[in-house]
């Protein structure tokens, strides 16, 4: 169960690295294909805002990757739970304010990781 939780952490970290790239470096190119409902004429004027959002996604990814590198098993779980919690809250907020799809893509994997870590702690 712990191995599966760590795999989920790695997947969530990789997703957020992808979000970082998309929002910071590909906002006016590839992001147009991902965010089809966003008006095309707004990509260029919102480039700086998207880059700022991408930076935050990078911080989440960095925290999740860091959690995988911590040697102390207790602190590894604590740090992973903190950053997965941040991702879950951001995903829930995004699903309520922007798109329901964000829950499935962002919040659900984080919640699954949290559940797996908590289940492991109960064993």
């Amino acid at each position: 169960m712990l191995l599966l939780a760590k795999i989920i952490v790695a997947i969530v970290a990789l997703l957020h690295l992808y979000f970082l790239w998309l929002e910071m470096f590909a906002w006016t190119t590839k992001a147009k294909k991902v965010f089809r409902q966003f008006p095309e004429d707004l990509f260029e004027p919102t480039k700086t805002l998207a880059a700022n959002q991408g930076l935050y996604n990078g911080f989440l990814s960095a925290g999740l990757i860091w959690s995988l590198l911590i040697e102390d098993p207790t602190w590894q779980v604590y740090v992973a739970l903190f950053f997965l919690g941040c991702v879950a809250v951001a995903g829930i907020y995004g699903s309520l304010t922007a798109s329901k799809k964000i829950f499935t893509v962002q919040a659900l994997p984080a919640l699954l990781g949290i559940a797996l870590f908590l289940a492991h702690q109960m064993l």
Side-chain angles (χ1 to χ4, degrees):
M1 191 155 333
L2 183 61
L3 178 61
L4 187 54
K6 289 180 182 184
I7 290 169
I8 296 294
V9 167
I11 290 169
V12 173
L14 289 173
L15 277 171
H16 281 77
L17 280 177
Y18 171 69
F19 300 153
L20 172 145
W21 171 78
L22 196 62
E23 294 166 347
M24 292 189 79
F25 305 108
W27 185 246
T28 58
T29 56
K30 300 287 184 189
K32 290 180 180 182
K33 294 176 184 171
V34 175
F35 300 100
R36 290 184 214 115
Q37 294 176 345
F38 194 69
E40 189 167 341
D41 61 316
L42 291 180
F43 279 93
E44 192 60 43
T46 59
K47 188 175 180 178
T48 304
L49 294 171
N52 186 34
Q53 187 169 306
L55 186 62
Y56 283 98
N57 279 309
F59 291 141
L60 292 172
S61 183
L64 291 165
I65 293 167
W66 173 45
S67 78
L68 295 172
L69 301 175
I70 296 171
E71 291 185 20
D72 182 284
T74 302
W75 276 103
Q76 185 179 62
V77 171
Y78 289 162
V79 172
L81 285 172
F82 173 78
F83 282 98
L84 287 171
C86 291
V87 169
V89 169
I92 291 167
Y93 182 80
S95 71
L96 294 172
T97 60
S99 169
K100 302 285 184 229
K101 183 179 176 185
I102 294 172
F103 182 83
T104 305
V105 173
Q106 188 174 355
L108 193 59
L111 291 169
L112 177 60
I114 290 169
L116 288 168
F117 274 118
L118 293 177
H120 171 74
Q121 296 293 87
M122 295 176 90
L123 294 178

